[in-house]
mmCIF file of all heavy atoms in Angstrom:
data_model
loop_
_atom_site.group_PDB
_atom_site.id
_atom_site.type_symbol
_atom_site.label_atom_id
_atom_site.label_comp_id
_atom_site.label_asym_id
_atom_site.label_seq_id
_atom_site.Cartn_x
_atom_site.Cartn_y
_atom_site.Cartn_z
ATOM 1 N N LEU A 716 20.427 -5.391 -12.827
ATOM 2 C CA LEU A 716 21.042 -6.699 -13.094
ATOM 3 C C LEU A 716 21.676 -7.252 -11.826
ATOM 4 O O LEU A 716 21.449 -8.416 -11.462
ATOM 5 C CB LEU A 716 22.075 -6.549 -14.208
ATOM 6 C CG LEU A 716 22.827 -7.811 -14.624
ATOM 7 C CD1 LEU A 716 21.885 -8.934 -14.992
ATOM 8 C CD2 LEU A 716 23.759 -7.509 -15.798
ATOM 9 N N VAL A 717 22.449 -6.422 -11.148
ATOM 10 C CA VAL A 717 23.093 -6.866 -9.905
ATOM 11 C C VAL A 717 22.038 -7.292 -8.891
ATOM 12 O O VAL A 717 22.172 -8.332 -8.228
ATOM 13 C CB VAL A 717 23.990 -5.747 -9.329
ATOM 14 C CG1 VAL A 717 24.423 -6.090 -7.909
ATOM 15 C CG2 VAL A 717 25.201 -5.533 -10.219
ATOM 16 N N GLU A 718 20.965 -6.505 -8.810
ATOM 17 C CA GLU A 718 19.891 -6.857 -7.867
ATOM 18 C C GLU A 718 19.298 -8.221 -8.225
ATOM 19 O O GLU A 718 19.058 -9.063 -7.359
ATOM 20 C CB GLU A 718 18.820 -5.764 -7.891
ATOM 21 C CG GLU A 718 17.802 -5.834 -6.774
ATOM 22 C CD GLU A 718 16.702 -6.847 -7.052
ATOM 23 O OE1 GLU A 718 16.361 -7.070 -8.245
ATOM 24 O OE2 GLU A 718 16.194 -7.442 -6.085
ATOM 25 N N LEU A 720 20.718 -10.659 -9.868
ATOM 26 C CA LEU A 720 21.684 -11.746 -9.667
ATOM 27 C C LEU A 720 21.781 -12.149 -8.201
ATOM 28 O O LEU A 720 22.000 -13.322 -7.896
ATOM 29 C CB LEU A 720 23.081 -11.302 -10.155
ATOM 30 C CG LEU A 720 23.249 -11.002 -11.640
ATOM 31 C CD1 LEU A 720 24.711 -10.771 -11.966
ATOM 32 C CD2 LEU A 720 22.688 -12.117 -12.497
ATOM 33 N N THR A 721 21.607 -11.194 -7.301
ATOM 34 C CA THR A 721 21.861 -11.471 -5.885
ATOM 35 C C THR A 721 20.590 -11.708 -5.080
ATOM 36 O O THR A 721 20.655 -11.803 -3.859
ATOM 37 C CB THR A 721 22.647 -10.301 -5.264
ATOM 38 O OG1 THR A 721 21.933 -9.085 -5.523
ATOM 39 C CG2 THR A 721 24.030 -10.207 -5.850
ATOM 40 N N PHE A 742 26.621 -14.907 -14.992
ATOM 41 C CA PHE A 742 27.021 -13.519 -15.245
ATOM 42 C C PHE A 742 27.627 -12.829 -14.035
ATOM 43 O O PHE A 742 27.928 -11.640 -14.089
ATOM 44 C CB PHE A 742 25.808 -12.714 -15.738
ATOM 45 C CG PHE A 742 25.395 -13.060 -17.128
ATOM 46 C CD1 PHE A 742 24.124 -13.533 -17.389
ATOM 47 C CD2 PHE A 742 26.290 -12.912 -18.186
ATOM 48 C CE1 PHE A 742 23.749 -13.859 -18.684
ATOM 49 C CE2 PHE A 742 25.918 -13.233 -19.477
ATOM 50 C CZ PHE A 742 24.638 -13.711 -19.728
ATOM 51 N N MET A 743 27.814 -13.540 -12.953
ATOM 52 C CA MET A 743 28.220 -12.874 -11.717
ATOM 53 C C MET A 743 29.642 -12.322 -11.747
ATOM 54 O O MET A 743 29.895 -11.229 -11.269
ATOM 55 C CB MET A 743 28.059 -13.833 -10.539
ATOM 56 C CG MET A 743 26.623 -13.931 -10.064
ATOM 57 S SD MET A 743 26.530 -14.727 -8.462
ATOM 58 C CE MET A 743 24.743 -14.779 -8.269
ATOM 59 N N SER A 744 30.562 -13.099 -12.311
ATOM 60 C CA SER A 744 31.955 -12.631 -12.318
ATOM 61 C C SER A 744 32.035 -11.233 -12.916
ATOM 62 O O SER A 744 31.543 -10.991 -14.013
ATOM 63 C CB SER A 744 32.828 -13.587 -13.129
ATOM 64 O OG SER A 744 32.991 -14.812 -12.459
ATOM 65 N N GLY A 745 32.647 -10.336 -12.191
ATOM 66 C CA GLY A 745 32.791 -8.984 -12.712
ATOM 67 C C GLY A 745 31.666 -8.054 -12.320
ATOM 68 O O GLY A 745 31.806 -6.839 -12.381
ATOM 69 N N LEU A 746 30.507 -8.628 -11.931
ATOM 70 C CA LEU A 746 29.390 -7.768 -11.538
ATOM 71 C C LEU A 746 29.173 -7.752 -10.028
ATOM 72 O O LEU A 746 28.740 -6.751 -9.474
ATOM 73 C CB LEU A 746 28.098 -8.220 -12.238
ATOM 74 C CG LEU A 746 27.978 -7.847 -13.709
ATOM 75 C CD1 LEU A 746 26.787 -8.567 -14.333
ATOM 76 C CD2 LEU A 746 27.818 -6.346 -13.882
ATOM 77 N N VAL A 747 29.438 -8.858 -9.397
ATOM 78 C CA VAL A 747 29.284 -8.895 -7.936
ATOM 79 C C VAL A 747 30.570 -9.473 -7.345
ATOM 80 O O VAL A 747 31.319 -10.187 -8.018
ATOM 81 C CB VAL A 747 28.069 -9.751 -7.500
ATOM 82 C CG1 VAL A 747 26.812 -9.308 -8.220
ATOM 83 C CG2 VAL A 747 28.339 -11.217 -7.735
ATOM 84 N N GLY A 748 30.809 -9.188 -6.090
ATOM 85 C CA GLY A 748 32.028 -9.645 -5.437
ATOM 86 C C GLY A 748 32.008 -11.137 -5.184
ATOM 87 O O GLY A 748 30.964 -11.796 -5.278
ATOM 88 N N ILE A 749 33.176 -11.657 -4.872
ATOM 89 C CA ILE A 749 33.296 -13.103 -4.682
ATOM 90 C C ILE A 749 32.519 -13.573 -3.459
ATOM 91 O O ILE A 749 32.038 -14.713 -3.414
ATOM 92 C CB ILE A 749 34.792 -13.518 -4.604
ATOM 93 C CG1 ILE A 749 34.927 -15.029 -4.815
ATOM 94 C CG2 ILE A 749 35.410 -13.101 -3.286
ATOM 95 C CD1 ILE A 749 36.029 -15.403 -5.721
ATOM 96 N N ASP A 750 32.331 -12.694 -2.493
ATOM 97 C CA ASP A 750 31.547 -13.079 -1.312
ATOM 98 C C ASP A 750 30.093 -13.336 -1.693
ATOM 99 O O ASP A 750 29.479 -14.299 -1.226
ATOM 100 C CB ASP A 750 31.629 -11.998 -0.238
ATOM 101 C CG ASP A 750 32.990 -11.978 0.447
ATOM 102 O OD1 ASP A 750 33.716 -12.987 0.328
ATOM 103 O OD2 ASP A 750 33.327 -10.968 1.070
ATOM 104 N N LYS A 751 29.562 -12.482 -2.545
ATOM 105 C CA LYS A 751 28.174 -12.668 -2.998
ATOM 106 C C LYS A 751 28.053 -13.955 -3.809
ATOM 107 O O LYS A 751 27.081 -14.693 -3.687
ATOM 108 C CB LYS A 751 27.735 -11.466 -3.854
ATOM 109 C CG LYS A 751 27.511 -10.180 -3.063
ATOM 110 C CD LYS A 751 26.100 -10.112 -2.527
ATOM 111 C CE LYS A 751 25.886 -8.965 -1.547
ATOM 112 N NZ LYS A 751 25.978 -7.660 -2.186
ATOM 113 N N MET A 752 29.053 -14.217 -4.642
ATOM 114 C CA MET A 752 29.034 -15.448 -5.430
ATOM 115 C C MET A 752 29.061 -16.661 -4.508
ATOM 116 O O MET A 752 28.354 -17.639 -4.721
ATOM 117 C CB MET A 752 30.238 -15.483 -6.384
ATOM 118 C CG MET A 752 30.140 -14.481 -7.517
ATOM 119 S SD MET A 752 31.664 -14.338 -8.481
ATOM 120 C CE MET A 752 31.729 -15.926 -9.288
#
Side-chain angles (χ1 to χ4, degrees):
Chain A
L716 180 54
V717 168
E718 192 279 329
L720 296 188
T721 54
F742 288 121
M743 280 194 184
S744 290
L746 284 170
V747 307
I749 196 136
D750 287 342
K751 288 273 171 67
M752 290 171 68

